[in-house]
Amino acid sequence: MKIFDQITMCLQNLSRRKVRTTLTTMGVVVGTCAIVVMISLGVGMQESLEAMLAQMGDLTKIEIYNYSGGRGDSGNEIPNLDDSVIEQIAAYDHVEVVTPIVQADWGKIKIRCGDYEYNDSIYGVYPEALEKLGYELSEGKFPTGKEKEIAVLFGENAPYSFNDTKNPDVWFSPYDNEDPPVDIFNDTFTISVGREDEEDKSGKDPEKHDMVITGRLVGDWNKGYETVYGAFLPIDKLYELYKEYDSYNGISSSSSSAFNPRKINYDHVYVKVTDMDYVDEVETKIKDLGYDTYSMETMRKPLQEQVRNTMLLLGGLGGISLFVAAMGITNTMVMSIYERTREIGIMKVLGCVIGDIRTIFLMEAGLIGFGGGVIGVILSFIISAVLNVLGGGGGSIGGMMGGGYYDGSGAATQLSVIPPWLVALALVFSTLIGLISGFSPANRAVKISALEAIKHE
């Protein structure tokens, strides 16, 4: 029997009992719709969770803290967190970039523009890491570390952190609709070291080095204070200035007096991972070295586990409906066999291959499952759209289900989200339910004796 004949016979048999076929299909529709909608709520909760965590910080960034005095939690000595260890961490799979971030000691480094002096935090980093850390520019460009002058990148509001040395009580604010006291791209800036004793004015002033401001960042409190009010310069330049500070102030015992990046024990390091799914793996490797770490994974992991359990619960509730639908398909196919016993016997007498008879019944069951799945998915999109309208943006429904969270752009996350994989899964699952439900009746059909079947009224 040709496949076209099997399909034709299958459709004729289903249309012969329209009411029963429709009611059986509706069971699959309800079951599929219940599963898709329930899981879509779980997916919406997960996206809302990730949007909320993203507002709290970078989900792919790991911070390494080295404040334990060289000993881990077990008391074992841990290696200095120097450039050699940073290179080791950078070689881990899924690590995009690693950089130490060293906040300059207050007063050791001075940035000036005429009578104005910068009075906020200065950080030393690997300049090539800034863009990869997710920092964004509002203007200018990122430093490369190859500039002739000392290159500095300012945070968004850093230009307001300059104070007039002749009138130190005057402060400038970006929130008062006033211009900053300096123009970072047109004014001339210098950088120098400070005095250990600010009251001691004896001796010559420290050398002023030429400085270029390459750009200004978009301020993002979630990525750190430094993006708003900080100033970045290459870490090797920072330690060269430290060395100059020691020399200028007659300090010989400082650990920075003989700068060697492979001997510095950094206190704070940023690690950027390619994807948040690998954060836990990389963080575990770093902890195995003995260092303390922090990432959003410490919050994301238990919350994600909670969401996953909720999705399983919701999917299970929907699965009950589909299980009931499966019993309906089985009942429909069994009744169909009883009604078509004589027809089955005639096909056998005419020499129809037993496999073709089984295929016809399986095809009918599979078509009920697939057709119900398609209608169920379409209905799920309609219900999902209604839920998003009623529950989006923190409405009563959104509040109960944990959805409707507003992201940084002010847009509300969706309460119900139906990704393509869920549509494919629903169609495959509903079709399989139909085939599995029809398997036993199909086998029963092929086992009927041809002579007994012909005699059947």
Side-chain angles (χ1 to χ4, degrees), residues 264-284:
I264 291 176
N265 196 12
Y266 296 118
D267 291 331
H268 197 184
V269 171
Y270 284 166
V271 180
K272 178 77 171 181
V273 182
T274 55
D275 191 275
M276 65 181 178
D277 292 334
Y278 303 116
V279 170
D280 186 54
E281 174 187 336
V282 175
E283 190 170 15
T284 299

Side-chain angles (χ1 to χ4, degrees), residues 297-333:
E297 191 72 9
T298 57
M299 295 179 59
R300 188 178 81 94
K301 201 171 182 179
L303 291 174
Q304 194 174 42
E305 184 66 26
Q306 182 179 354
V307 170
R308 189 180 295 112
N309 292 335
T310 303
M311 288 178 65
L312 290 174
L313 176 61
L314 294 174
L317 293 174
I320 294 175
S321 300
L322 203 54
F323 175 73
V324 174
M327 291 191 292
I329 295 174
T330 302
N331 179 65
T332 296
M333 300 311 299

